[in-house]
Amino acid sequence: MHSGHGPTDSKEQLEKQYKALTSVLNEDETFNRVLLSVFEKMDLDASGTIEVSELEQFILHLSKRMGSNTPSSTQILSIFKHLDLDSDKHIQKEELSVFVRHVFQEQVKFILMKLKTLKNLPEEPRK
């Protein structure tokens, strides 16, 4: 639970996350390693593609870990259709790549916004 004393993410944590994400985004080899890791976690039957049920299980697990609301089956199907760029009812690694890159880019923007906000806050007195 958040006590109300200062931000939940320290400036140092945010800067670390920013550095890690920009590194992943700027280095193809690193991005491909991360992508493969995510893809393998999602591809539960190791078929080389992700089906709707696998995406659903992954999203439900992620939602639970993050403490966020669980999307409905309709929302998950909508996400699947957006990821399935060639509409073959399977998500290939290349299709997931577009999504993962977008998520990381959005995360970088979010971190920069939080860092900017932290810059404008008065520092808490050190004890």
Side-chain angles (χ1 to χ4, degrees):
M1 185 181 328
H2 184 55
S3 64
H5 299 290
T8 54
D9 292 318
S10 73
K11 184 179 178 212
E12 292 79 21
Q13 288 172 315
L14 290 168
E15 286 171 343
K16 231 171 155 176
Q17 291 171 2
Y18 174 81
K19 194 173 185 178
L21 284 168
T22 53
S23 172
V24 169
L25 285 168
N26 293 328
E27 298 170 18
D28 287 342
E29 189 178 318
T30 306
F31 178 81
N32 288 330
R33 246 191 344 265
V34 170
L35 175 64
L36 183 60
S37 174
V38 171
F39 189 83
E40 287 174 347
K41 281 183 178 81
M42 293 176 77
D43 185 17
L44 300 174
D45 64 2
S47 65
T49 61
I50 299 166
E51 287 76 36
V52 175
S53 61
E54 292 171 318
L55 179 66
E56 184 168 24
Q57 286 182 37
F58 183 78
I59 289 174
L60 295 177
H61 172 74
L62 207 54
S63 297
K64 192 181 280 188
R65 271 189 56 194
M66 294 173 70
S68 60
N69 293 335
T70 304
S72 69
S73 293
T74 306
Q75 289 170 314
I76 290 172
L77 188 57
S78 177
I79 293 166
F80 185 87
K81 287 179 180 178
H82 279 89
L83 295 176
D84 184 16
L85 300 175
D86 63 5
S87 302
D88 69 351
K89 299 195 182 352
H90 296 89
I91 299 170
Q92 278 77 26
K93 191 169 37 164
E94 296 74 26
E95 292 169 316
L96 186 64
S97 169
V98 174
F99 174 70
V100 169
R101 188 171 295 278
H102 174 74
V103 168
F104 286 173
Q105 289 167 339
E106 289 303 307
Q107 189 66 25
V108 165
K109 288 179 195 173
F110 179 72
I111 289 169
L112 286 173
M113 184 183 71
K114 285 185 91 170
L115 282 169
K116 186 177 179 187
T117 302
L118 285 176
K119 242 184 203 178
N120 296 327
L121 290 176
E123 283 198 35
E124 289 187 31
R126 297 196 189 269
K127 294 179 180 173

